[in-house]
Amino acid sequence: MATPVVAFAQLATECEKEGLSHKNAERIGQELAKQFNVHPDEVGILRLEKQNLVFVYPTKLGTVGSIPLNTTGSVAARTANTKRAEVINSFAQTKHISVFESVELSGKPKPIGGIDETEKHSHVIQKMMSAPVVGTEGTVGVVEVCRKGTSGPASGADFSPMELQKLVAICGALAKCFK
């Protein structure tokens, strides 16, 4: 069986000609979700366009807006600027931009009258890994993998340094398809 990095390198080669189209981003996002045992809506793939990070996966977030690289409080912007990957296992307690978290991604219809109280906090990001995608011309994007839930313990296990290393290696393999 191929190692995760080899499998993602093969996937990137298959996607290279077409670039990071919606179809390819969807495919990569689904594979990342499987690799890190998270739900597909717990993966974010952002491409650097001029001085802004734009979500290409989940596609729905791409219509919400972009993240300027000079945004303070954005983990994705910090990752792109510093070219350093990081794990934040207490993400819900850190100051961050939450506009993208408020977008409903599950596809479940909202109950009549608005928010179902039992699910009010179920989509809060509790834990996150963020890694830069660095190509020959520098940073070309960012990949984020998170765990959502009502609390840290309810969202699952903490991300480990080994998982972060795996994400960094996968991002290196994916760089060639970030066009």
Side-chain angles (χ1 to χ4, degrees), residues 30-69:
Q30 297 285 332
E31 288 303 315
L32 284 164
K34 284 183 208 165
Q35 187 61 229
F36 292 101
N37 197 27
V38 299
H39 297 281
D41 72 346
E42 293 175 316
V43 172
I45 302 172
L46 300 98
R47 176 177 40 219
L48 185 61
E49 295 180 5
K50 297 186 170 93
Q51 291 295 304
N52 295 293
L53 289 167
V54 178
F55 275 95
V56 290
Y57 180 86
T59 307
K60 200 172 190 180
L61 292 182
T63 62
V64 175
S66 60
I67 304 168
L69 284 181

Side-chain angles (χ1 to χ4, degrees), residues 46-48 50 53 69 79-83 132-142 171-172 174-176 178:
L46 300 98
R47 176 177 40 219
L48 185 61
K50 297 186 170 93
L53 289 167
L69 284 181
T79 299
N81 285 319
T82 65
K83 296 181 180 71
V133 180
V134 181
T136 54
E137 63 282 351
T139 302
V140 293
V142 172
C171 286
L174 291 174
K176 64 181 169 185
F178 269 67

Side-chain angles (χ1 to χ4, degrees), residues 103-173:
V103 177
E104 177 56 46
L105 297 173
S106 69
K108 293 181 204 163
K110 292 281 184 208
I112 296 172
I115 298 172
D116 176 352
E117 285 302 313
T118 61
E119 295 211 2
K120 193 176 198 175
H121 301 289
S122 65
H123 298 291
V124 176
I125 297 172
Q126 299 290 338
K127 302 166 189 209
M128 177 185 280
M129 292 191 296
S130 183
V133 180
V134 181
T136 54
E137 63 282 351
T139 302
V140 293
V142 172
V143 173
E144 295 181 329
V145 178
C146 67
R147 292 200 168 104
K148 298 177 182 179
T150 54
S151 67
S155 68
D158 282 357
F159 286 114
S160 70
M162 281 182 56
E163 286 175 303
L164 184 63
Q165 285 179 332
K166 187 192 313 182
L167 180 60
V168 168
I170 289 169
C171 286

